[in-house]
Amino acid sequence: INEGQIYSLDTNGSTLVAATGSKKILIYDVRYLSAPIEIRDSPLKSQLRVIRIHPNGSSFTIGSIEGRCAIEYIDSTSIELQKKKYTFKCHRIGDIVCPVNAIAYHPNGNFATGGSDGATHVWDGENKKRKFTVPPFSQPISALDFNCDGTMLAMASSHTFENNQPGEPIDNNIYIKAL
C-alpha cells in the first residue's frame, strides 16, 4: 500500500492510526499489520500533521497545516457515530492560519492542541468548546503531553522551520503548566 509518507501515528490497545502525506488516514489492527483494516480520505483540505486516538479508543483527532482539526470515529459503520464527527478552526491569528503541530489527550477525554502560533488550547471535544488557552510563547508549540493523571501539561516550544527564515532566533524551551 502506497498512500504517501506517514507524518504521524498513534496507538491505543490494538488500534493504530496513521496520517499520511496524501491526506489519507490508515487504520490498522496491530495484531494484523499486513494491510490496514480501513483507508479513509481526510475531512481536512490540507496536509495532515498530527493524529491522536481518544483514551477510550472510539475516536481520533487529526490536525493539519490549515489550522484546523477534525474529530473522527473509528467505527465507520455506525451512523450514529458518523453524525457526531466534525471539524473546527483552532490556530489562527486574525486572518493568519497557523499549522496544528501537536495534539495530546487528557485522561478525561479533553484534549490540547498546540500550533505554530505559539498557543496551546485545551478543548472539551464532547461539547465542542474551548476550555482555556495558554498564552502564546514566542516560538511554535512543537509537542504536547499530559502527565498520567492529567494534573500537568508539558509544552515544547521550538522553531519548526515552516517559513525557513535564516537568522531567526531559535529559543527551544519546555514549559510545564499545573492544571
Side-chain angles (χ1 to χ4, degrees):
I1 295 174
N2 186 4
E3 296 296 340
Q5 290 181 302
I6 293 177
Y7 288 153
S8 182
L9 61 85
D10 195 21
T11 61
N12 184 323
S14 62
T15 304
L16 179 144
V17 292
T20 72
S22 61
K23 297 188 298 183
K24 299 287 186 188
I25 299 163
L26 310 177
I27 302 172
Y28 285 89
D29 182 326
V30 296
R31 298 166 294 188
Y32 311 100
L33 288 173
S34 58
I37 56 175
E38 187 175 354
I39 300 173
R40 292 188 194 171
D41 290 322
S42 169
L44 302 174
K45 296 175 185 170
S46 298
Q47 175 190 322
L48 304 179
R49 180 155 289 175
V50 61
I51 189 166
R52 290 293 174 264
I53 299 177
H54 190 286
N56 70 15
S58 68
S59 63
F60 56 90
T61 302
I62 52 177
S64 76
I65 63 169
E66 64 183 307
R68 293 179 71 88
C69 283
I71 307 292
E72 291 274 310
Y73 289 84
I74 303 273
D75 181 0
S76 62
T77 62
S78 169
I79 295 170
E80 180 182 314
L81 287 177
Q82 293 308 306
K83 287 180 181 178
K84 291 173 61 176
K85 65 184 187 178
Y86 63 95
T87 66
F88 62 98
K89 298 176 186 175
C90 52
H91 287 276
R92 309 284 169 109
I93 303 171
D95 292 335
I96 300 170
V97 175
C98 301
V100 178
N101 298 326
I103 297 171
Y105 270 97
H106 187 277
N108 71 7
N110 290 334
F111 62 96
T113 60
S116 288
D117 56 356
T120 299
H121 303 295
V122 177
W123 305 90
D124 176 349
E126 188 70 27
N127 293 308
K128 302 179 184 178
K129 294 188 185 233
R130 181 169 41 204
K131 293 185 69 115
F132 66 89
T133 298
V134 176
F137 299 110
S138 62
Q139 297 287 333
I141 300 299
S142 55
L144 292 169
D145 210 354
F146 289 95
N147 68 334
C148 62
D149 65 0
T151 57
M152 292 186 282
L153 173 62
M155 299 163 281
S157 177
S158 178
H159 189 66
T160 53
F161 299 98
E162 275 106 22
N163 300 326
N164 201 18
Q165 300 292 330
E168 277 189 44
I170 297 175
D171 187 22
N172 301 321
N173 289 296
I174 296 175
Y175 300 96
I176 308 290
K177 178 168 179 56
L179 303 175

